[in-house]
Amino acid sequence: MSTTAEILSTPTQTADFLPILGTDHIEFYVGNAKQSAYFYQHAFGFQPVAYRGLETGYREAASYVLRQGKVTLVLTTPYHPGNFIADHIYRHGDGVRVLALWVENATKAYEETTRRGGKSYMPPTRLQDEHGEVVLSGIHTYGDTVHVFVERTNYKGPFLPGFMPWEGFGKSEPVGFKYVDHCVGNVYLGEMNQFVAFYRDVMGFQQLISFDDKDISTEYSALMSKVMANGNGYIKFPINEPAQGRRKSQIEEYLEFYHGQGVQHIALATDDIIHTVRELRRRGVEFLETPKAYYETVLERVGSIDEPLEVLAELGILIDRDEEGYLLQIFTRPVQDRPTVFYEIIQRKGAKSFGKGNFKALFEAIEREQARRGNL
Ligand code: FE2
């Protein structure tokens, strides 16, 4: 176990042609946005920000915007069938449609990426209301997932033009989420390198770390993964593809139930994972269980840590170390009925890697759940 965030590939150009300030928001298309908003507000502790729907004069879909730290989620559901959002939900179930990136110039972002072969989703589009103006543009990535570039320098409203402030469903306390650490995509067997090339050539990202099935394999499951990061390192998109295992891998299970390629998990960073996970568990958020045996040997692998091991064991938090430090992480169960999208909670204490040392323990836990679902 020795991975660091060293740069393995050289960027095609030295200047960052797509400067990104951060993750702007993540939009899910869901079957019942009102109930999803309640879940994210009260279970995950997101705070209500904005709303758009019939009451604001928008007659196609309802959208709820919630925020915690720098993490902004948008939950959208259509009012009628026969449109792209309804078709997306029919095919994929609840899932991520938009990974939106905050940029200084959405027109330039669009021109630079489409010139390099990015497939247009939305040409630069100016939206205005009494709070100012926003420019949006976008390109396609894996499956039905898109990247929207958001330029909001001249905007003072709660979210985007057309949205009004929204009070939420009563009060809820945040759990300590600070920012999006990374967002992972699952793609078909043999297609990982195509999307690695997309992020490198179209978006100017660099490859950080490469895993293969020797790193990540259990008796049944195997996967390959490459991590792509933008110039300033704020945005990290690992791409997974299934590798040959004896039985169906977790990536194949996802692809089968999502009916396509898409976002597998979103990792949210916290400064105090013990508080965050204790609070999430109290509110009924479901996590993968870590085998007790994991804690009997983990310190031999990772060395000394600041946190009491018995508390980490009680909460099921995993530990890994690389050359630069260590990290604490835990994974939720899927947050919808289909075994597709889930969350990772991560606290970095110097480590810049992704928990490779935990993959075996983690995947064995996932496989126990796959077996319960009859999908192994
Ligand atoms: Fe992750």
Side-chain angles (χ1 to χ4, degrees):
M1 197 291 304
S2 63
T3 52
T4 54
E6 69 183 303
I7 304 296
L8 295 181
S9 66
T10 334
T12 45
Q13 297 185 337
T14 43
D16 189 354
F17 63 80
L18 181 60
I20 300 172
L21 303 169
T23 304
D24 191 89
H25 64 271
I26 297 171
E27 182 171 16
F28 288 77
Y29 287 170
V30 299
N32 186 336
K34 190 170 197 169
Q35 289 189 9
S36 293
Y38 183 91
F39 172 81
Y40 280 106
Q41 191 190 338
H42 289 281
F44 274 71
F46 281 84
Q47 300 300 300
V49 173
Y51 169 83
R52 184 179 69 181
L54 292 174
E55 295 82 350
T56 67
Y58 190 73
R59 305 196 62 81
E60 289 170 29
S63 293
Y64 297 78
V65 183
L66 299 100
R67 183 172 296 140
Q68 187 166 180
K70 294 178 180 170
V71 187
T72 303
L73 301 183
V74 183
L75 306 162
T76 296
T77 202
Y79 288 119
H80 301 286
N83 54 73
F84 183 84
I85 305 173
D87 293 348
H88 191 279
I89 296 164
Y90 180 76
R91 181 177 177 82
H92 301 300
D94 289 6
V96 174
R97 165 64 168 168
V98 180
L99 293 171
L101 303 169
W102 177 29
V103 298
E104 262 164 28
N105 188 331
T107 304
K108 180 164 180 292
Y110 181 84
E111 289 168 355
E112 295 284 357
T113 51
T114 53
R115 188 159 67 79
R116 288 170 169 83
K119 186 177 156 217
S120 174
Y121 162 62
M122 183 198 297
T125 304
R126 192 174 303 273
L127 303 176
Q128 289 172 302
D129 67 8
E130 70 272 27
H131 302 296
E133 68 168 43
V134 165
V135 182
L136 303 179
S137 64
I139 59 172
H140 290 267
T141 178
Y142 46 77
D144 283 328
T145 318
V146 296
H147 290 307
V148 167
F149 303 116
V150 182
E151 173 188 332
R152 52 170 69 257
T153 320
N154 299 314
Y155 194 65
K156 302 265 187 296
F159 180 56
L160 290 176
F163 283 77
M164 65 175 201
W166 171 59
E167 304 268 291
F169 306 110
K171 294 267 176 282
S172 68
E173 283 300 311
V175 298
F177 293 138
K178 300 291 186 197
Y179 58 88
V180 175
D181 188 275
H182 58 276
C183 288
V184 181
N186 281 344
V187 304
Y188 294 130
L189 181 63
E191 296 198 7
M192 175 180 66
N193 285 330
Q194 171 191 325
F195 288 101
V196 166
F198 164 83
Y199 282 106
R200 183 190 61 217
D201 300 338
V202 173
M203 296 188 62
F205 283 33
Q206 300 171 29
Q207 186 184 334
L208 292 188
I209 299 168
S210 169
F211 304 118
D212 62 26
D213 54 358
K214 284 184 222 53
D215 298 321
I216 312 174
S217 79
T218 59
E219 188 178 358
Y220 299 127
S221 283
L223 67 81
M224 292 190 284
S225 186
K226 290 183 178 175
V227 180
M228 303 305 290
N230 80 319
N232 60 20
Y234 291 177
I235 307 295
K236 293 187 277 293
F237 291 143
I239 308 292
N240 294 334
E241 73 170 26
Q244 219 55 254
R246 280 179 41 188
R247 303 281 286 276
K248 185 185 292 175
S249 77
Q250 53 163 311
I251 311 302
E252 289 172 286
E253 186 195 36
Y254 174 99
L255 294 167
E256 179 185 320
F257 279 85
Y258 199 72
H259 288 267
Q261 311 181 107
V263 170
Q264 178 209 37
H265 76 265
I266 298 163
L268 301 178
T270 170
D271 292 338
D272 184 354
I273 196 168
I274 289 175
H275 167 75
T276 298
V277 173
R278 181 168 277 148
E279 194 54 31
L280 290 170
R281 283 192 180 276
R282 192 182 67 75
R283 299 176 189 196
V285 173
E286 301 175 304
F287 291 93
L288 293 183
E289 296 306 325
T290 308
K292 285 280 168 280
Y294 174 89
Y295 296 96
E296 290 165 14
T297 55
V298 66
L299 293 185
E300 294 165 22
R301 177 165 61 81
V302 303
S304 74
I305 53 171
D306 302 334
E307 295 73 15
L309 189 65
E310 64 276 13
V311 176
L312 300 180
E314 170 207 326
L315 295 170
I317 295 167
L318 303 161
I319 313 142
D320 196 23
R321 184 179 285 279
D322 63 26
E323 281 84 353
E324 295 171 88
Y326 70 98
L327 63 82
L328 304 161
Q329 64 185 169
I330 189 169
F331 298 83
T332 71
R333 286 191 173 146
V335 290
Q336 59 291 306
D337 288 291
R338 297 195 197 193
T340 53
V341 185
F342 59 89
Y343 285 84
E344 171 182 351
I345 320 302
I346 184 166
Q347 181 177 3
R348 295 187 178 279
K349 304 193 77 165
K352 294 196 179 124
S353 50
F354 295 82
K356 174 174 156 180
N358 286 321
F359 285 175
K360 192 160 189 300
L362 174 67
F363 290 175
E364 284 168 355
I366 290 176
E367 283 166 13
R368 280 193 297 278
E369 309 241 327
Q370 267 183 267
R372 285 175 52 208
R373 296 190 284 261
N375 289 333
L376 189 61

